[in-house]
Amino acid sequence: MAGNESHHVLDLPSFTDPVKMLIVVAPYYKDIADNMIAGAKATAEKVGASVDIVEVPGALEIPTAIGMASRMADYDCYVALGCVIRGETTHYDTVCNDSSRGLTLLGLQGLCIGNGILTVENRSQAEVRADPADQDKGGGAAAAALHLVALSRKWANRTKGIGFRPAGEEFRIAGETEGPSRA
């Protein structure tokens, strides 16, 4: 069981410029969501990040809200918080898979997202994972988002070797000293 294992946890990054974090939470299980928010806010506070919180109806709406915020607002990172508890139907699988897939696709577009959507078999598993004094998955999701912000800032001005030329640089075929420009 993962709860009994020891895991390496990275130290939180430090920032010279302020970090703006948006927590998007589906408070379907309000007590669990509140615990996760508390953990995420405490982690953000440790690095001086400012936090805004928005609520959405369910886990499936979290990626949409983050996508909208990335286009319409000004945040450095996003924390997805919610809880999906297995029920009697296959709806659980749909919600777990599609919310995760949506967040992954946004992340691959360059958004800094910490995924704290719990996918559990029962309420007691959710309570342990959400509790800031126990597994603190809300704090872990915030930490993940903050680590991605640190990476994005580290690599922000890099242009070498990432598939495009800086403005004004001509294309040259390897081995040619003078050749046609292929812009």
Side-chain angles (χ1 to χ4, degrees):
M1 183 166 158
N4 297 328
E5 293 183 23
S6 175
H7 303 287
H8 177 70
V9 177
L10 298 175
D11 292 334
L12 287 174
S14 58
F15 298 96
T16 54
D17 294 325
V19 175
K20 289 179 63 179
M21 175 185 287
L22 178 64
I23 296 173
V24 180
V25 61
Y28 191 80
Y29 301 101
K30 182 91 169 96
D31 58 325
I32 292 168
D34 288 346
N35 264 347
M36 293 181 70
I37 291 169
K41 286 173 66 175
T43 297
E45 187 176 292
K46 289 176 185 175
V47 300
S50 65
V51 175
D52 289 334
I53 301 170
V54 296
E55 294 182 345
V56 295
L60 287 174
E61 289 75 38
I62 293 173
T64 302
I66 290 173
M68 291 167 58
S70 75
R71 291 185 302 277
M72 299 176 191
D74 186 26
Y75 292 99
D76 297 299
C77 63
Y78 307 89
V79 179
L81 299 179
C83 178
V84 186
I85 300 175
R86 186 180 296 279
E88 297 177 0
T89 69
T90 59
H91 184 65
Y92 169 87
D93 297 313
T94 298
V95 175
C96 294
N97 293 333
D98 290 354
S99 61
S100 179
R101 183 178 301 111
L103 294 174
T104 298
L105 291 173
L106 290 168
L108 291 172
Q109 293 174 18
L111 300 186
C112 300
I113 302 173
N115 183 352
I117 300 175
L118 301 179
T119 55
V120 296
E121 298 295 321
N122 54 58
R123 175 172 262 285
S124 62
Q125 288 178 348
E127 290 168 350
V128 168
R129 285 163 176 75
D131 186 348
D134 202 330
Q135 291 189 18
D136 192 21
K137 296 299 184 181
L146 292 166
H147 280 287
L148 292 172
V149 170
L151 282 176
S152 72
R153 289 182 178 181
K154 176 181 178 179
W155 295 330
N157 295 319
R158 302 254 172 121
T159 57
K160 183 178 180 180
I162 57 174
F164 60 88
R165 304 182 302 281
E169 187 176 295
E170 286 188 27
F171 173 82
R172 298 214 186 271
I173 298 174
E176 286 188 12
T177 55
E178 293 286 328
S181 176
R182 298 190 183 177

